[in-house]
Amino acid sequence: SGMTLAAWIKCKNTGDHHAIFNARASDQTWVVHPEARSNGEFRWLLRSYGGTTIFDLRAGAVTWDEWLHFAGTYDKASGKATVCINGEVAKEIDVTNPADIAGDWGLGARVGKNIDDARPFTGLMDELRMFTRALSQDEIRKIMQGM
């Protein structure tokens, strides 16, 4: 019912999308898409079972070849989804139909590419962290500092 995914990334501009993390549920649902997009924005997407998109948030600006801290959060109870870049809220939305996130990764999970080997992350990534709840902005800033 909640999640935070955060990582330090330094992406090369290859003209393609760069998956930070990806997972696919046993029912074929693509569960999570945090990525740096080819058009220079970030994407944060979660789905529930059956492939129903909970939200598809696009926000912020990728600065190619520079270290950035990405954090995506979701909280079903409050109905909020947020993208923070370098500890600052890039965008927060009210989710129209909050739902539980598909809860298994039965068909696999990958760091740095989709489970079908698409959207390879080109560059460097460090301190990938996942939490089963939405972290606050202050908590995101603390994990950015390694706390």
Side-chain angles (χ1 to χ4, degrees):
S1 63
M3 178 179 189
T4 297
L5 186 138
W8 282 101
I9 64 169
K10 183 178 179 182
C11 257
K12 294 191 178 296
N13 188 356
T14 62
D16 200 0
H17 304 319
H18 300 267
I20 298 169
F21 178 81
N22 182 253
R24 197 163 186 196
S26 297
D27 74 347
Q28 306 285 326
T29 295
W30 293 94
V31 180
V32 57
H33 288 283
E35 56 192 25
R37 306 282 289 173
S38 62
N39 66 356
E41 67 185 358
F42 289 97
R43 181 183 195 196
W44 173 232
L45 175 144
L46 289 174
R47 290 192 179 100
S48 60
Y49 283 114
T52 302
T53 299
I54 301 169
F55 62 87
D56 187 353
L57 198 161
R58 317 262 178 130
V62 178
T63 306
W64 303 107
D65 296 311
E66 291 184 21
W67 282 104
L68 299 169
H69 189 267
F70 170 90
T73 69
Y74 169 66
D75 180 62
K76 178 184 170 189
S78 68
K80 302 281 186 195
T82 305
V83 167
C84 290
I85 305 301
N86 294 330
E88 299 300 321
V89 174
K91 189 171 186 179
E92 181 177 80
I93 62 169
D94 293 316
V95 176
T96 305
N97 295 305
D100 286 330
I101 305 161
D104 77 78
W105 299 342
L107 294 180
R110 302 282 188 279
V111 173
K113 62 182 168 180
N114 286 4
I115 66 152
D116 61 358
D117 293 330
R119 301 178 188 176
F121 185 92
T122 305
L124 301 170
M125 190 181 319
D126 198 13
E127 297 183 27
L128 176 79
R129 298 176 186 208
M130 282 187 271
F131 300 85
T132 57
R133 65 180 179 84
L135 297 183
S136 69
Q137 189 176 7
D138 285 341
E139 289 172 312
I140 290 168
R141 287 180 178 149
K142 285 180 183 174
I143 66 167
M144 283 178 57
Q145 297 168 2
M147 303 171 86

